[in-house]
Amino acid sequence: MEKRKLGQNLEVSALSLGAMGYGKSRDIPDRAEMIAVLRGSVERGINFFDTAEVYGPWTNELMVGEAFAGMRDKIIIATKFGWDIDQDTGAHRGGVNSRPAQIRKSVEGSLKRLGTDYIDLYYQHRVDPEVPMEDVAGVIKELIQQGKVRFFGLSEAGASSIRRAHAVQPVAALQSEYSLWTREPETEIIPTLDELGIGFVPFSPLGKGFLTGKINVDTAFDDSDIRNRIPRFAPQARTANQRLVDLLRAIGERHRATPAQVALAWLMVQKPWIVPLFGTRKLERVDENLGALQVSLSEADLRELNGSRETIPVEGARYPEDQMRRVGL
């Protein structure tokens, strides 16, 4: 498995698997099957896995901890703090909370649920505008000194927040959305990361499934699926955005690759410190995505894909309006 480096010293597999889709509720009916996917991914060479205390809350971290019991030395675990969760009951009160006392309680809970005495990469899930970033970074610095956390990360943070955090405690990685249909990080975020030596872990590298080519205007989502609320998945937007999938499919045919493999290969070509974070509930999709490591895009391919930002404008926002207010602070 190809390895990539986040920040100065965190070496991980070139692709990362996110566990969010394996259960964000208080009940995970197919828990055994999802644990099998996590363990099967380790067998295939992936060692970098992502969860968060808010998924459930708590059931996701518990599941990840069970999946990796007895193999802690083989894996890199990333989890997140920063939502306003009652640390006694697990009730999600809504909004963000990165007050120092909350962070200290959050890390203890995550360590216990994950069955470990250290977290490899600890992300602030969303910036808390009520708490100075210097205070957040200062607490993480203490946790690193105590050995409870190895590396500090941010999620969906803006350039100013990244710089302020990094000045107090070096940031190893930023986790934010980036893909062929979410190109905004190219303007300011990626140059900032490049300057500061921070890695990038793009989530939704396949556009929440759209860039796989398996979703069209007729696809119906479960009532609980967030894509029902995302403007980019409205019928009119799906029809317009199909042009991007058509481009991925055409390039894939040149390489005997799927649209998903081309989309992931494109991401990994952008910078050597980009580690796409994908989600899937099936090992066959893990295998497909790992196939992206074998796709070698030509200069002509890259010109077409890079130019798609102008030639194939994406229709629709990537989040509902209420969620966009928490992005880029």
Side-chain angles (χ1 to χ4, degrees):
M1 169 64 71
E2 176 189 337
K3 296 293 181 64
R4 294 193 163 200
K5 190 174 287 187
L6 301 174
Q8 297 302 309
N9 296 305
L10 181 56
E11 188 175 77
V12 299
S13 54
L15 287 170
S16 176
L17 178 61
M20 182 181 76
Y22 298 0
K24 291 177 66 177
S25 66
R26 293 302 180 96
D27 180 44
I28 305 177
D30 54 355
R31 181 189 182 98
E33 291 88 341
M34 296 305 97
I35 286 176
V37 172
L38 290 167
R39 292 174 177 169
S41 298
V42 176
E43 293 170 359
R44 287 157 170 78
I46 294 175
N47 75 349
F48 187 25
F49 297 90
D50 185 270
T51 183
E53 69 166 356
V54 76
Y55 301 158
W58 298 349
T59 49
N60 203 275
E61 285 185 322
L62 286 165
M63 181 187 60
V64 169
E66 180 181 339
F68 297 135
M71 60 175 80
R72 187 66 182 90
D73 60 330
K74 297 180 180 179
I75 58 167
I76 304 294
I77 295 179
T79 192
K80 313 177 194 77
F81 66 90
W83 291 103
D84 193 12
I85 298 172
D86 187 310
Q87 295 299 310
D88 295 318
T89 67
H92 186 192
R93 295 176 289 218
V96 293
N97 184 350
S98 282
R99 292 189 291 272
Q102 178 77 2
I103 298 173
R104 293 187 178 100
K105 289 182 179 179
S106 293
V107 73
E108 297 300 334
S110 290
L111 288 169
K112 184 177 180 179
R113 289 185 291 273
L114 291 166
T116 183
D117 55 6
Y118 66 95
I119 293 165
D120 293 292
L121 179 57
Y122 203 31
Y123 291 107
Q124 183 189 37
H125 211 151
R126 291 292 186 274
V127 171
D128 185 342
E130 301 301 319
V131 179
M133 183 56 75
E134 291 80 4
D135 292 353
V136 175
V139 175
I140 302 302
K141 185 171 186 174
E142 292 174 12
L143 295 176
I144 290 173
Q145 291 170 344
Q146 293 166 10
K148 295 176 180 179
V149 170
R150 293 181 62 216
F151 296 95
F152 180 27
L154 299 173
S155 179
E156 292 280 26
S160 176
S161 291
I162 295 168
R163 291 182 182 280
R164 290 172 62 189
H166 193 71
V168 176
Q169 170 59 45
V171 176
L174 173 75
Q175 183 181 130
S176 294
E177 187 168 355
Y178 180 42
S179 71
L180 275 163
W181 82 341
T182 301
R183 303 281 293 272
E184 290 84 354
E186 294 172 353
T187 303
E188 185 176 17
I189 294 301
I190 289 179
T192 299
L193 302 180
D194 206 359
E195 174 192 340
L196 299 178
I198 298 171
F200 194 13
V201 182
F203 68 80
S204 296
L206 301 177
K208 294 181 172 62
F210 191 80
L211 300 182
T212 66
K214 298 177 176 66
I215 294 173
N216 58 38
V217 71
D218 298 317
T219 302
F221 301 114
D222 182 88
D223 289 345
S224 63
D225 197 313
I226 190 175
R227 288 175 289 191
N228 288 313
R229 296 181 56 228
I230 294 177
R232 196 164 288 185
F233 282 90
Q236 180 179 335
R238 278 191 247 178
T239 299
N241 296 334
Q242 187 63 41
R243 292 176 57 206
L244 186 53
V245 177
D246 293 341
L247 174 60
L248 287 169
R249 185 172 284 113
I251 293 175
E253 288 173 356
R254 303 172 196 167
H255 298 274
R256 297 183 179 178
T258 66
Q261 289 170 337
V262 174
L264 290 170
W266 175 82
L267 263 179
M268 289 186 283
V269 163
Q270 301 309 300
K271 296 290 181 180
W273 36 263
I274 286 179
V275 178
L277 169 65
F278 69 88
T280 182
R281 302 173 67 83
K282 299 178 180 178
L283 277 171
E284 63 191 72
R285 295 290 171 240
V286 174
D287 291 332
E288 177 184 350
N289 292 344
L290 288 174
L293 297 169
Q294 308 306 318
V295 176
S296 181
L297 298 172
S298 69
E299 291 298 324
D301 297 332
L302 292 173
R303 280 195 298 273
E304 288 187 78
L305 292 167
N306 291 337
S308 67
R309 184 174 185 178
E310 284 72 39
T311 60
I312 309 177
V314 174
E315 183 169 320
R318 67 185 180 95
Y319 277 143
E321 184 177 351
D322 61 325
Q323 293 189 36
M324 283 301 298
R325 289 197 294 269
R326 296 192 178 109
V327 171
L329 297 178

